[in-house]
Amino acid sequence: MKKIISVVLIFCISVLGGFFCFSNSNETAKLGAGIEIFNPQTTNTSVDGATKMVVSGSIPALTLRDLVCDSTIIIKGKVNKLLPSRWSNEGYKKGKDIRNVLQTDIIIDIEKVYKGTPYDSKQIAVRIDKGQTDDMIVESDGYPDFTSGEDVILFLAIDDGDAANANENYYVLKGMAQGKFSLTQTNNIYTNNKEEIEVEKINHIIKENLELEKANPREKMTKEEIKKNNEKYFGK
Amino acid sequence: MNKNNFGKIAVFLTVAILGFFIGKEIAFAYSTIHNGYQSTPIYVECYLNFEADTKTAISNACTEWNNAGAGNLVYKSGTEHSMTIYPIQNTENHITKGSRGTDKYLMQATNFIVNGYSTETDIDINVSHPFGTAGSQLVFDIQNCMTHEIGHLLGLADLRNTILDTNKTMYFECTKGETKKRTLEQDDKDGILSLYKK
Ligand SMILES: [Zn+2]
């Protein structure tokens, strides 16, 4: 009994110690920042003096039902490779006085299709808006990272943005990072860091959510309604 | 030293170190993208077709950060611009809009970073998503999202802990009707103080 009490006591004192060492006073906050948050090696990295672009933003929170119902295709597969990053413009070059989005295509070998029909039954590309060229790094935490050989379940959609390229076959992730489920330590369980999916149950999950949606659809604006609504705030 | 004592010391150290780091995690809940701007205040320029309510929401978002205790850091400029190209590196901090797509950010901030310091930030409103100003449950609140983006402009990074961070302005996800990001939490203020408090 004594032993347990002393272990708990040490634990509590240490938690408080850790807390007060890193909270409140600006001095200690900065000390903490020096250790964990600011990482000068990464923060200051620029390629040959070029500017680094860091893109950050807010993401609409999607539920599993949103992911299931709004994805064009849902697949399980393996990351084959990452293609070299390219700019979204003609000739894939960075242009002057035009919108420049650095993009990277991830090639996925399809193992199973759970919803929809992909443009190719064996291999597809998934496009994310970040990457690296010889003279530019674009970081964007809203998009997940991919590594070759990785097992993934992907919720995918058609790119409907202004940088979409209608002449190419590719998908984008539904809800950005929320659309990528990676294999966890536990076999057959995948996660997008919010929800977990057991592979054996995915067909059931999809069916259940599609039925729910049919019986009781989520309230949503159409694209035309969104356009009209937004003109009231941002002009034509 | 006998075996029994060694075991006790090992347990003591493990528990103490674990506790210390857990305490540190709880205390320290902000994160930064860059070292801030080297001189403040920053002026953000609105796209000229934005309606008055939108400009007020943007101005309010700036004010919230100016009240964080680190001085006057950011204002909506009286100057406006006519560019919907985003991002564009031209030394001006533009706020613009575009139909960037359903599966892209709601709003985003691009920081141009040189030697660890931000030199310019452009903010983009993705009008593929529905926005509003009255906290309607069908749209995303402009001031809510913009307060988050101004946090990025000033140098704060997204927070992603789905248990500890959800009430903070710098939490990375937004829901329709949400307005809680309009008001800074202590960790948001601590973050900005760490960057700008002289
Ligand atoms: Zn963000």
Side-chain angles (χ1 to χ4, degrees):
Chain A
M1 192 59 200
K2 247 184 173 174
K3 267 186 192 164
I4 297 172
I5 293 174
S6 50
V7 167
V8 171
L9 205 68
I10 297 162
F11 181 75
C12 293
I13 292 170
S14 314
V15 170
L16 286 176
F19 183 82
F20 283 113
C21 272
F22 291 96
S23 71
N24 292 331
S25 115
N26 291 314
E27 287 296 304
T28 49
K30 267 191 182 146
L31 173 69
I35 295 165
E36 168 148 316
I37 301 300
F38 275 40
N39 185 343
Q41 275 79 35
T42 55
T43 306
N44 292 341
T45 304
S46 52
V47 196
D48 299 332
T51 311
K52 179 169 86 164
M53 280 164 59
V54 178
V55 179
S56 6
S58 45
I59 295 170
L62 300 188
T63 61
L64 197 51
R65 183 163 162 196
D66 296 325
L67 288 172
V68 167
C69 298
D70 298 341
S71 292
T72 313
I73 66 159
I74 304 173
I75 58 145
K76 182 171 164 296
K78 211 183 240 317
V79 177
N80 179 306
K81 62 180 170 189
L82 280 71
L83 298 183
S85 305
R86 308 182 302 189
W87 295 96
S88 57
N89 303 304
E90 258 186 71
Y92 307 113
K93 298 263 187 304
K94 187 168 187 276
K96 203 178 177 301
D97 296 330
I98 50 167
R99 176 160 155 78
N100 289 295
V101 184
L102 190 62
Q103 302 179 313
T104 305
D105 282 358
I106 323 299
I107 305 301
I108 308 286
D109 294 328
I110 297 179
E111 289 164 1
K112 263 208 169 89
V113 178
Y114 301 114
K115 184 191 174 191
T117 311
Y119 66 80
D120 184 296
S121 62
K122 291 204 176 71
Q123 200 174 65
I124 53 163
V126 175
R127 185 162 295 176
I128 56 172
D129 291 356
K130 64 177 182 180
Q132 186 168 352
T133 65
D134 291 341
D135 58 0
M136 178 68 88
I137 298 174
V138 177
E139 292 180 354
S140 186
D141 276 352
Y143 292 98
D145 292 314
F146 287 87
T147 40
S148 300
E150 201 183 350
D151 291 300
V152 288
I153 290 177
L154 300 176
F155 291 74
L156 301 169
I158 306 292
D159 189 353
D160 63 356
D162 59 357
N165 190 333
N167 300 318
E168 293 177 330
N169 282 323
Y170 67 95
Y171 294 102
V172 294
L173 290 161
K174 175 51 64 187
M176 303 169 69
Q178 298 170 99
K180 181 202 177 200
F181 284 69
S182 311
L183 186 58
T184 61
Q185 302 286 347
T186 319
N187 221 2
N188 288 343
I189 295 185
Y190 288 71
T191 184
N192 67 351
N193 295 321
K194 284 203 306 185
E195 313 266 3
E196 282 193 348
I197 291 179
E198 226 175 297
V199 172
E200 288 75 20
K201 293 188 180 152
I202 188 161
N203 279 316
H204 175 74
I205 292 170
I206 292 170
K207 190 167 166 260
E208 195 178 54
N209 279 289
L210 289 175
E211 279 170 5
L212 265 173
E213 180 69 9
K214 211 174 164 193
N216 189 11
R218 296 157 299 156
E219 203 176 350
K220 268 175 85 178
M221 286 188 194
T222 63
K223 280 187 178 166
E224 200 44 49
E225 285 168 342
I226 291 174
K227 189 168 176 244
K228 248 184 151 173
N229 169 82
N230 284 343
E231 283 177 0
K232 288 186 291 189
Y233 301 98
F234 307 112
K236 298 227 177 204
Chain B
M1 185 192 321
N2 68 33
K3 227 177 172 178
N4 195 17
N5 272 343
F6 184 76
K8 277 182 188 165
I9 292 168
V11 170
F12 173 86
L13 280 179
T14 310
V15 172
I17 291 169
L18 193 72
F20 184 79
F21 279 102
I22 291 173
K24 177 177 164 236
E25 281 304 307
I26 296 169
F28 199 45
Y30 61 84
S31 165
T32 56
I33 311 168
H34 54 72
N35 304 339
Y37 278 84
Q38 279 180 306
S39 78
T40 50
I42 309 304
Y43 290 88
V44 291
E45 295 182 11
C46 288
Y47 178 64
L48 52 82
N49 286 353
F50 286 172
E51 296 297 332
D53 283 355
T54 304
K55 291 176 189 170
T56 306
I58 291 168
S59 190
N60 290 346
C62 295
T63 305
E64 184 65 13
W65 288 103
N66 291 340
N67 290 338
N72 291 326
L73 302 172
V74 57
Y75 290 106
K76 183 182 83 62
S77 170
T79 310
E80 297 181 341
H81 69 89
S82 58
M83 304 246 274
T84 50
I85 300 167
Y86 167 91
I88 190 144
Q89 196 176 4
N90 60 356
T91 74
E92 280 145 17
N93 303 288
H94 280 181
I95 302 181
T96 190
K97 62 151 188 177
S99 298
R100 313 307 184 191
T102 311
D103 294 299
K104 310 278 162 144
Y105 289 101
L106 282 169
M107 290 190 188
Q108 60 167 278
T110 295
N111 286 109
F112 295 93
I113 297 171
V114 178
N115 297 322
Y117 288 91
S118 184
T119 54
E120 177 186 337
T121 308
D122 291 335
I123 294 175
D124 186 50
I125 299 169
N126 178 4
V127 293
S128 298
H129 297 287
F131 287 96
T133 51
S136 146
Q137 296 304 306
L138 276 179
V139 300
F140 295 97
D141 182 76
I142 297 172
Q143 188 179 328
N144 185 68
C145 296
M146 193 52 76
T147 312
H148 178 93
E149 299 312 321
I150 298 290
H152 284 316
L153 173 142
L154 292 170
L156 295 180
D158 283 313
L159 298 173
R160 293 167 190 279
N161 189 309
T162 52
I163 298 158
L164 296 174
D165 293 332
T166 52
N167 284 327
K168 295 169 195 167
T169 295
M170 294 318 295
Y171 187 61
F172 75 119
E173 281 187 354
C174 271
T175 53
K176 286 174 185 164
E178 175 190 291
T179 54
K180 62 189 174 189
K181 289 187 174 67
R182 288 182 179 189
T183 315
L184 304 184
E185 294 289 304
Q186 192 56 47
D187 284 328
D188 301 308
K189 293 180 186 173
D190 286 347
I192 219 65
L193 287 166
S194 81
L195 287 173
Y196 293 99
K197 184 85 180 179
K198 300 281 152 26

